[in-house]
Amino acid sequence: MYIYDKFDQTIVRERVAAFRDQVARRLAGELDEDHFRPLRLMNGLYLQLHAYMLRVAIPYGTLSSAQLRRLAYIARKYDRGYGHFTTRQNIQYNWIKLEEAPDILSDLADVQMHGIQTSGNCIRNVTADHFSGVAGDEIDDPRVTSEILRQWSTFHPEFSFLPRKFKIAVTGAAHDRAAIKFHDIGIQVVRGPDGEVGYAIYAGGGMGRTPVVAPLIRGYLPKAELLSYVEAILRVYNRYGRRDNIYKARIKILVREIGAAEFTRQVEEEWKLIRTTGVNLPAAEEARIRRFFAPPPYDTIAEPVASLTQAKAASPAFARWIETNVHTHKVPGYAIVTISLKPPGGIPGDASAEQMEAIADLADRYSFAEIRVSHIQNLILPNVKQADLFAIWQALGKIGFADANAGLIGDIIACPGLDYCALANARSIPISQAISERFADPARSAEIGPLQIKISGCINACGHHHAGHIGILGVDRAGEELYQITLGGAADQTAEIGALIGPGFKSADAVDAIERIVDTYLKLRQPGEEFLVAYRRLGQAPFKEAAYGRA
Amino acid sequence: MAVLNLAPGETPVARPDPWVLLADGEAPTVGAHVIVPFARFKVEHNELLAKAAAVGVAIGGADVVEELAPWVARLQLVLLQFGVFKDGRLFTSARLLRERFGFRGDLRATGDFIPDQAVFLLRSGVTSLEVGEAFPVETLARVVRAYSVRYQRALDPQPVIIDQRLQGNGA
Amino acid sequence: MPRDEIEPSAVSAGRRAGRAAVGGKIATANRLRDGVVVYLDAAGGWTTEVAQARIAHSSEDEQALKAALDSAVRANLIVDAAVIDTRAAESTPARLREQIRAVGPTVRPDLARRKPL
């Protein structure tokens, strides 16, 4: 993974000092809240219902074991012993004191971490495929691109006061595990006509109040021209994105209002003027960054691995976990492990300090000291030997994270909702808990197969409900929490926005409605047909009728 | 109001300033340094440039700097008026005036900005700040030096990190 | 965590809130330096206990709450100040959001500042 040099370290250190100065000025009254808010947000510090919340960046989802241990330490020292992994490869702490925030950032800087640009109207933490570097279907490691973008976007003099927040995601494979089409800019590594590696560029996607699947604005961009092209997009957006209405300020509205073709024309016109002005990264610097993402020293291992075969035969529960939570690694004899942070009845994405430390230990012992964070709110051990899988599974069982549900109905994305969030209209977590308990039986959930449920507690859609196969949006109707259901959303390369089935359900009825939808799928599916495929074949009608009890 | 210089590595200090922003309908005095809103300049530029000793134009976030491009060589000052400090358009306007249209005069920010934005302003090509009496000048002097290194090439002359790395100075 | 533990009384209270007659008003905010939820109390100070909040029953009382909030905002003691509705004759907030602010996340009863309302 990328290791800071003295310049990266200096920037983060100076940022801590600058923020300490800003906090002191705020507490002394030199800065009022209106002028302080953007400054604290650009360090990831929000004010939520119960306290300040600190959002720490985990750039493109890659963590070292030492960093994860530091996150645990911060949870224990400054918070209440836990953290929440989010849909944007960040971790959030919920009980932060403003006066301690500079110390926390200083402790983070010790391990090359920060909260820089995890909030505010600026270029946010760049996210990437959580299987980067280990997936067999990858053309190029998207973390190289992401790190280039991280440095370019950090304290950008021109783009730190954008009309609204700006999110970039990168995938290195045709199979999109980073939901790139729901981002302000989605970048996909592709091969050009000559076989060279470059990018396909999508722009103007997003969720929120106006969900949009990003249009492709450039089919092939030479790799070396990444920064000038992205800068051209940002410049057009910074100049012409709407600033009169916060709900219309995202780039997706600009793209929609002037049309993708006109937007693209403006970007290309701007790009022509800056292509050769020194914005692009020199090849030597790209090569320097790339070296940090070289593969670790893998052993040569023959497959099949006998001990794994035996352990699967001996334990059906282990075999089921292998089936769902272990993924094909590009190197023979190795595997990728998804650690589900979704125990039935649990809070999606939450991990205690003890759990984080246990996972850091596992990474040290079995995964070259590296951990990934997925936008699905799980952790990943990206580089484990298949022969070690049984030991890892047993160790995860001891911390309550051995559930065999990755990608299944219990693997729910949920935003913090009204339990924590000042913007929420309804709670998300209790609905998630009720659903994961209802479908807790591993055999039943395996029978249902891949099914993504995503829950948001307000229209901002941090829980990605628009992209859920089953999406749930909590709303407030005259003081009562109601839950609207959407069906048919997808976050991958077949990205689609789910369609609302009708009026919302009371919290007690929502889970029953979900169950009736699932039962209808089981009844109507063809052999081996996954939920989303069946939904696309059948349309909404049978599911809608079932949800409202009319089937 | 005071005018502070803004230059890399220098402490911003107040300096005497000859510029006056003309009120609506107010005629320029012969030999004066006058600033007029861009809309007025578009109409009266011939008269203004003939009469005044020096002419500046005030622009806001919504003004399109391409329209100002034909005159930049004859302007001694462009005033960036921040209605709200979050209006990031003016950072792009500043950069374009310098990099694309070759403006060499004084690029001045006024209105609602905070000391912490001064680094961004400076890096976007701004060379002076007009501030009110309540503006914390001491804070400005401190925070303008908050960062000793930078990733992006911009209008300030300090070497960027990439260049230092290419010279082998990273480790 | 068992389901019954994460369904505190706040839920039913929230449902009732839609129909229940509104009671008085209380003043609330987050303390600037640590973000803790606070309420204006009868003595003009700030308490973390909603039960000790000063309840306004008249528009004059409500104006006094607002004035106290404004003054504390200007003194940089509090942020996100608001005057909120309570249930009839009690200091219990009417809206679910405010009930959760007063107690803590419903999904972490172990972290509740007080017993559920």
Side-chain angles (χ1 to χ4, degrees), chain A residues 2 26 77 116 145-146 163 165 273 334 338 352 358 445 536:
Chain A
Y2 186 76
R26 175 69 188 107
K77 180 169 180 189
I116 292 168
T145 302
S146 304
K165 58 188 169 183
L273 297 170
Y334 283 82
T338 294
S352 69
S445 109
R536 285 172 172 170

PDB file of all heavy atoms in Angstrom, chain A residues 2 26 77 116 145-146 163 165 273 334 338 352 358 445 536:
ATOM      1  N   TYR A   2       0.220   2.395  -0.279  1.00  0.00           N
ATOM      2  CA  TYR A   2       0.982   3.638  -0.377  1.00  0.00           C
ATOM      3  C   TYR A   2       1.508   4.053   1.002  1.00  0.00           C
ATOM      4  O   TYR A   2       0.774   4.023   1.994  1.00  0.00           O
ATOM      5  CB  TYR A   2       0.097   4.741  -0.947  1.00  0.00           C
ATOM      6  CG  TYR A   2       0.847   6.024  -1.210  1.00  0.00           C
ATOM      7  CD1 TYR A   2       1.688   6.132  -2.316  1.00  0.00           C
ATOM      8  CD2 TYR A   2       0.728   7.112  -0.356  1.00  0.00           C
ATOM      9  CE1 TYR A   2       2.391   7.298  -2.558  1.00  0.00           C
ATOM     10  CE2 TYR A   2       1.420   8.289  -0.594  1.00  0.00           C
ATOM     11  CZ  TYR A   2       2.256   8.379  -1.697  1.00  0.00           C
ATOM     12  OH  TYR A   2       2.952   9.532  -1.937  1.00  0.00           O
ATOM     13  N   ARG A  26     -12.443  29.275  16.971  1.00  0.00           N
ATOM     14  CA  ARG A  26     -13.889  29.082  17.153  1.00  0.00           C
ATOM     15  C   ARG A  26     -14.252  29.155  18.628  1.00  0.00           C
ATOM     16  O   ARG A  26     -15.213  29.821  19.011  1.00  0.00           O
ATOM     17  CB  ARG A  26     -14.306  27.717  16.560  1.00  0.00           C
ATOM     18  CG  ARG A  26     -15.775  27.364  16.801  1.00  0.00           C
ATOM     19  CD  ARG A  26     -16.688  28.267  15.990  1.00  0.00           C
ATOM     20  NE  ARG A  26     -18.078  28.077  16.329  1.00  0.00           N
ATOM     21  CZ  ARG A  26     -18.810  28.955  17.028  1.00  0.00           C
ATOM     22  NH1 ARG A  26     -18.264  30.082  17.469  1.00  0.00           N
ATOM     23  NH2 ARG A  26     -20.083  28.708  17.283  1.00  0.00           N
ATOM     24  N   LYS A  77     -10.197   5.707  23.223  1.00  0.00           N
ATOM     25  CA  LYS A  77      -9.709   6.882  23.957  1.00  0.00           C
ATOM     26  C   LYS A  77     -10.647   8.077  23.853  1.00  0.00           C
ATOM     27  O   LYS A  77     -10.863   8.798  24.825  1.00  0.00           O
ATOM     28  CB  LYS A  77      -8.322   7.267  23.444  1.00  0.00           C
ATOM     29  CG  LYS A  77      -7.750   8.493  24.175  1.00  0.00           C
ATOM     30  CD  LYS A  77      -6.290   8.735  23.880  1.00  0.00           C
ATOM     31  CE  LYS A  77      -5.788   9.959  24.648  1.00  0.00           C
ATOM     32  NZ  LYS A  77      -4.438  10.362  24.225  1.00  0.00           N
ATOM     33  N   ILE A 116      -9.287  14.603   6.144  1.00  0.00           N
ATOM     34  CA  ILE A 116      -9.267  15.666   5.133  1.00  0.00           C
ATOM     35  C   ILE A 116     -10.291  15.385   4.038  1.00  0.00           C
ATOM     36  O   ILE A 116     -10.286  14.312   3.432  1.00  0.00           O
ATOM     37  CB  ILE A 116      -7.855  15.794   4.523  1.00  0.00           C
ATOM     38  CG1 ILE A 116      -6.873  16.318   5.572  1.00  0.00           C
ATOM     39  CG2 ILE A 116      -7.871  16.715   3.304  1.00  0.00           C
ATOM     40  CD1 ILE A 116      -5.422  16.203   5.160  1.00  0.00           C
ATOM     41  N   THR A 145      -4.592   4.896  -9.553  1.00  0.00           N
ATOM     42  CA  THR A 145      -5.373   6.056 -10.010  1.00  0.00           C
ATOM     43  C   THR A 145      -5.948   6.827  -8.832  1.00  0.00           C
ATOM     44  O   THR A 145      -5.927   8.062  -8.804  1.00  0.00           O
ATOM     45  CB  THR A 145      -6.509   5.554 -10.923  1.00  0.00           C
ATOM     46  OG1 THR A 145      -5.941   4.829 -12.013  1.00  0.00           O
ATOM     47  CG2 THR A 145      -7.350   6.706 -11.436  1.00  0.00           C
ATOM     48  N   SER A 146      -6.442   6.102  -7.847  1.00  0.00           N
ATOM     49  CA  SER A 146      -7.085   6.751  -6.701  1.00  0.00           C
ATOM     50  C   SER A 146      -6.086   7.578  -5.897  1.00  0.00           C
ATOM     51  O   SER A 146      -6.413   8.671  -5.423  1.00  0.00           O
ATOM     52  CB  SER A 146      -7.721   5.693  -5.793  1.00  0.00           C
ATOM     53  OG  SER A 146      -8.625   4.901  -6.515  1.00  0.00           O
ATOM     54  N   PRO A 163     -19.838  24.037  -5.660  1.00  0.00           N
ATOM     55  CA  PRO A 163     -21.253  24.236  -5.343  1.00  0.00           C
ATOM     56  C   PRO A 163     -21.766  23.212  -4.315  1.00  0.00           C
ATOM     57  O   PRO A 163     -22.624  23.517  -3.486  1.00  0.00           O
ATOM     58  CB  PRO A 163     -21.950  24.026  -6.694  1.00  0.00           C
ATOM     59  CG  PRO A 163     -20.913  24.356  -7.716  1.00  0.00           C
ATOM     60  CD  PRO A 163     -19.612  23.899  -7.114  1.00  0.00           C
ATOM     61  N   LYS A 165     -20.790  18.850  -2.607  1.00  0.00           N
ATOM     62  CA  LYS A 165     -19.789  17.791  -2.479  1.00  0.00           C
ATOM     63  C   LYS A 165     -19.530  17.103  -3.813  1.00  0.00           C
ATOM     64  O   LYS A 165     -20.374  17.133  -4.718  1.00  0.00           O
ATOM     65  CB  LYS A 165     -20.249  16.763  -1.454  1.00  0.00           C
ATOM     66  CG  LYS A 165     -21.587  16.119  -1.771  1.00  0.00           C
ATOM     67  CD  LYS A 165     -22.047  15.254  -0.595  1.00  0.00           C
ATOM     68  CE  LYS A 165     -23.483  14.802  -0.754  1.00  0.00           C
ATOM     69  NZ  LYS A 165     -23.932  14.029   0.421  1.00  0.00           N
ATOM     70  N   LEU A 273      -7.696  23.206 -23.678  1.00  0.00           N
ATOM     71  CA  LEU A 273      -6.907  24.372 -23.266  1.00  0.00           C
ATOM     72  C   LEU A 273      -5.935  24.052 -22.132  1.00  0.00           C
ATOM     73  O   LEU A 273      -5.034  24.838 -21.858  1.00  0.00           O
ATOM     74  CB  LEU A 273      -7.849  25.502 -22.826  1.00  0.00           C
ATOM     75  CG  LEU A 273      -8.766  26.041 -23.929  1.00  0.00           C
ATOM     76  CD1 LEU A 273      -9.812  26.972 -23.344  1.00  0.00           C
ATOM     77  CD2 LEU A 273      -7.944  26.767 -24.997  1.00  0.00           C
ATOM     78  N   TYR A 334      -4.439 -18.795  -2.935  1.00  0.00           N
ATOM     79  CA  TYR A 334      -4.840 -17.678  -2.074  1.00  0.00           C
ATOM     80  C   TYR A 334      -6.341 -17.400  -2.217  1.00  0.00           C
ATOM     81  O   TYR A 334      -7.002 -17.914  -3.142  1.00  0.00           O
ATOM     82  CB  TYR A 334      -4.044 -16.414  -2.412  1.00  0.00           C
ATOM     83  CG  TYR A 334      -2.637 -16.460  -1.864  1.00  0.00           C
ATOM     84  CD1 TYR A 334      -1.633 -17.140  -2.552  1.00  0.00           C
ATOM     85  CD2 TYR A 334      -2.319 -15.864  -0.646  1.00  0.00           C
ATOM     86  CE1 TYR A 334      -0.342 -17.215  -2.044  1.00  0.00           C
ATOM     87  CE2 TYR A 334      -1.031 -15.933  -0.130  1.00  0.00           C
ATOM     88  CZ  TYR A 334      -0.048 -16.601  -0.837  1.00  0.00           C
ATOM     89  OH  TYR A 334       1.226 -16.667  -0.318  1.00  0.00           O
ATOM     90  N   THR A 338     -14.241 -11.898   2.843  1.00  0.00           N
ATOM     91  CA  THR A 338     -15.097 -10.813   3.330  1.00  0.00           C
ATOM     92  C   THR A 338     -15.490 -11.110   4.770  1.00  0.00           C
ATOM     93  O   THR A 338     -16.091 -12.147   5.061  1.00  0.00           O
ATOM     94  CB  THR A 338     -16.365 -10.685   2.479  1.00  0.00           C
ATOM     95  OG1 THR A 338     -16.005 -10.265   1.160  1.00  0.00           O
ATOM     96  CG2 THR A 338     -17.321  -9.648   3.075  1.00  0.00           C
ATOM     97  N   SER A 352     -16.473  -2.897  17.272  1.00  0.00           N
ATOM     98  CA  SER A 352     -15.906  -2.405  18.524  1.00  0.00           C
ATOM     99  C   SER A 352     -14.388  -2.341  18.419  1.00  0.00           C
ATOM    100  O   SER A 352     -13.785  -2.934  17.510  1.00  0.00           O
ATOM    101  CB  SER A 352     -16.295  -3.343  19.671  1.00  0.00           C
ATOM    102  OG  SER A 352     -15.629  -4.582  19.515  1.00  0.00           O
ATOM    103  N   ALA A 358      -8.795  -7.436  16.887  1.00  0.00           N
ATOM    104  CA  ALA A 358      -8.730  -8.853  16.521  1.00  0.00           C
ATOM    105  C   ALA A 358      -8.533  -9.010  15.009  1.00  0.00           C
ATOM    106  O   ALA A 358      -7.775  -9.875  14.550  1.00  0.00           O
ATOM    107  CB  ALA A 358     -10.004  -9.564  16.981  1.00  0.00           C
ATOM    108  N   SER A 445     -31.265 -18.171   3.970  1.00  0.00           N
ATOM    109  CA  SER A 445     -30.674 -17.044   3.251  1.00  0.00           C
ATOM    110  C   SER A 445     -29.828 -17.540   2.069  1.00  0.00           C
ATOM    111  O   SER A 445     -29.789 -16.904   1.017  1.00  0.00           O
ATOM    112  CB  SER A 445     -29.918 -16.149   4.226  1.00  0.00           C
ATOM    113  OG  SER A 445     -28.559 -16.221   4.077  1.00  0.00           O
ATOM    114  N   ARG A 536     -36.201  -8.364 -13.092  1.00  0.00           N
ATOM    115  CA  ARG A 536     -36.138  -7.725 -14.409  1.00  0.00           C
ATOM    116  C   ARG A 536     -36.988  -8.495 -15.426  1.00  0.00           C
ATOM    117  O   ARG A 536     -37.522  -7.907 -16.365  1.00  0.00           O
ATOM    118  CB  ARG A 536     -34.682  -7.637 -14.875  1.00  0.00           C
ATOM    119  CG  ARG A 536     -33.920  -6.536 -14.124  1.00  0.00           C
ATOM    120  CD  ARG A 536     -32.425  -6.539 -14.423  1.00  0.00           C
ATOM    121  NE  ARG A 536     -31.789  -5.355 -13.840  1.00  0.00           N
ATOM    122  CZ  ARG A 536     -30.474  -5.182 -13.763  1.00  0.00           C
ATOM    123  NH1 ARG A 536     -29.641  -6.114 -14.215  1.00  0.00           N
ATOM    124  NH2 ARG A 536     -29.976  -4.090 -13.222  1.00  0.00           N
TER     125      ARG A 536
END
